[in-house]
Amino acid sequence: DLPLNSGFYRMIEVTAPKNSIVSAEWPVAVTGFLMPFEKIMNAIFEMWSKIMPERAIACAFNLEYLLAGGRDARKPEKPIFMFYEWLPGGWGGRNGKDGADVTTACFGTGLMSQPNEGNERVNPTRTLEFQIKQDSAGPGKWRGGVGVQKTSLLLEAENAVMSYICDRERAVVWGVEGGLPSMPHGLTMKRAGEETEIWLGSVFSDYSVHTGDQFARPTAGGGGFGDPLEREPRKVMEDVIDDYVSLERARTDYGVVIREIDRDLCQYEIDGTATEACRADIRAKRKDWARMDPEEVARKYRSGEIDTLDAVRHYAVILDWETGELLPKTTAQFRESFEKRTVAHWV
């Protein structure tokens, strides 16, 4: 392990095609540059994973950025407030280790999430929920790290607007060596006094928000490393106990059938016979799932037969997550990646 210094970097020559996303020239817009930056880093990690397989790692989450501003009506002078926030997420599963949970982005350690108390002191917001996002980790023999879920409430504010950017709503965090993807990013809004949520997705700007509105968004976990059907059932049960994995996804993603005895006492039991049968059934069907007609998958999603995680992890299909309409070009690209990184490694 060499120290990072100027001599180290002099050994590296970067060739960047002119007028490309990695070598933009004026007047090309480069806002949100960290989105492709993190993808480039994950591509480099994958390259080195092939050179040094003993240190291989799956894809990490992308940072997301939330910006809201307006007048803080809690104060008589109604000063301008600027609420700027990002959240931690999960790194990819590694060869022999699970991914790091709820951690910083891959481009710089130490960049953790801001304290809720500080944000609430200077901005008219209140945190309603900030916890680990269950089932966010990409399943694998070595699962990805888990992400988080945060829900906030806008307090007394005037003339407020919100913008948001992330890049993993459609280019979902991928697994390697047979591992499965994580989950799509995106923000949902619940208007004051209403029960239904509005899916706003991963990129929008200047969206008007008002006192009493609630906004929630998850961050993805890391991609899985290795076949999830090879993960030790005991480890899956430990993840269920920790609320990292639900009982349902333990069965559908890992093929591990777990009986809940007493949730409050964290007492669970693995059904060995049912687990063996479930894993055999998944092995027999999963390649066909990954190649099912995408339009049929979209129909299943719209009818409620499958959910978002099923669409991504089992059928390798990307949809408009609000309407359920198929995104054919994105699905074709995602399936090409899924075949190479995941299906090709299944026995």
Side-chain angles (χ1 to χ4, degrees):
D1 294 335
L2 298 175
L4 297 181
N5 53 42
S6 60
F8 174 86
Y9 287 111
R10 280 199 297 270
M11 297 187 296
I12 301 173
E13 180 180 352
V14 177
T15 302
K18 292 291 185 182
N19 296 318
S20 67
I21 196 169
V22 293
S23 183
E25 296 183 358
W26 177 264
V28 174
V30 292
T31 185
F33 72 97
L34 286 176
M35 302 299 109
F37 177 68
E38 290 179 287
K39 285 186 174 180
I40 292 168
M41 290 194 67
N42 276 297
I44 293 172
F45 290 162
E46 186 176 26
M47 177 193 73
W48 279 105
S49 293
K50 297 181 184 302
I51 298 170
M52 304 174 66
E54 70 278 6
R55 299 181 67 174
I57 185 171
C59 184
F61 84 110
N62 266 55
L63 271 183
E64 43 81 70
Y65 301 92
L66 176 69
L67 180 64
R71 294 283 181 178
D72 187 348
R74 299 175 302 171
K75 303 174 183 179
E77 63 275 22
K78 296 183 180 179
I80 292 174
F81 75 91
M82 189 64 69
F83 176 56
Y84 177 46
E85 186 179 48
W86 61 84
L87 297 176
W91 278 46
R94 297 162 285 179
N95 189 355
K97 292 182 180 180
D98 292 340
D101 300 314
V102 189
T103 191
T104 186
C106 62
F107 63 82
T109 56
L111 184 64
M112 300 303 288
S113 58
Q114 307 95 319
N116 293 330
E117 297 82 0
N119 271 332
E120 292 175 355
R121 183 173 64 84
V122 299
N123 298 299
T125 60
R126 179 181 300 148
T127 301
L128 303 180
E129 172 193 29
F130 191 20
Q131 63 179 352
I132 285 173
K133 175 66 175 176
Q134 191 180 58
D135 295 325
S136 59
K141 181 177 182 179
W142 306 102
R143 63 161 175 80
V146 295
V148 300
Q149 170 87 12
K150 185 167 187 178
T151 303
S152 302
L153 171 69
L154 186 65
L155 302 177
E156 296 89 341
E158 295 179 0
N159 303 322
V161 295
M162 178 180 292
S163 298
Y164 182 73
I165 184 169
C166 183
D167 204 19
R168 292 294 184 185
E169 179 184 1
R170 299 178 181 179
V172 180
V173 172
W174 33 263
V176 296
E177 301 294 322
L180 297 180
S182 173
M183 54 170 285
H185 274 268
L187 185 144
T188 56
M189 179 73 64
K190 183 188 290 186
R191 291 298 196 183
E194 298 184 5
E195 291 300 320
T196 57
E197 294 182 336
I198 305 168
W199 171 260
L200 297 179
S202 62
V203 180
F204 60 86
S205 62
D206 294 335
Y207 185 83
S208 294
V209 288
H210 310 281
T211 298
D213 288 349
Q214 295 182 26
F215 46 98
R217 79 262 196 211
T219 59
F225 184 99
D227 189 342
L229 299 186
E230 295 179 4
R231 186 168 177 82
E232 294 179 27
R234 174 184 58 82
K235 288 184 176 291
V236 178
M237 186 170 70
E238 289 173 356
D239 286 340
V240 169
I241 291 171
D242 289 335
D243 275 341
Y244 289 179
V245 176
S246 65
L247 286 170
E248 175 63 19
R249 299 315 305 188
R251 182 182 62 82
T252 57
D253 292 337
Y254 293 95
V256 178
V257 180
I258 300 172
R259 289 196 294 264
E260 181 181 280
I261 299 173
D262 191 318
R263 178 179 174 82
D264 291 337
L265 296 178
C266 296
Q267 292 182 345
Y268 297 85
E269 182 180 72
I270 297 169
D271 186 327
T273 302
T275 292
E276 186 176 341
C278 185
R279 286 187 160 182
D281 184 61
I282 292 173
R283 280 195 180 95
K285 296 177 179 178
R286 59 184 177 179
K287 288 186 179 180
D288 290 335
W289 289 340
R291 294 160 185 166
M292 182 181 287
D293 178 9
E295 288 288 1
E296 175 63 14
V297 177
R299 185 200 64 76
K300 286 176 174 286
Y301 179 84
R302 292 192 296 269
S303 68
E305 296 175 58
I306 63 172
D307 62 15
T308 302
L309 294 182
D310 293 328
V312 170
R313 294 176 180 175
H314 294 175
Y315 299 96
V317 168
I318 305 298
L319 308 171
D320 180 315
W321 304 117
E322 175 71 10
T323 66
E325 293 301 313
L326 176 69
L327 301 177
K329 182 176 179 180
T330 306
T331 292
Q333 293 171 338
F334 186 68
R335 281 196 161 182
E336 181 181 358
S337 165
F338 193 78
E339 284 280 341
K340 177 180 69 174
R341 294 184 170 114
T342 298
V343 177
H345 299 273
W346 288 341
V347 177

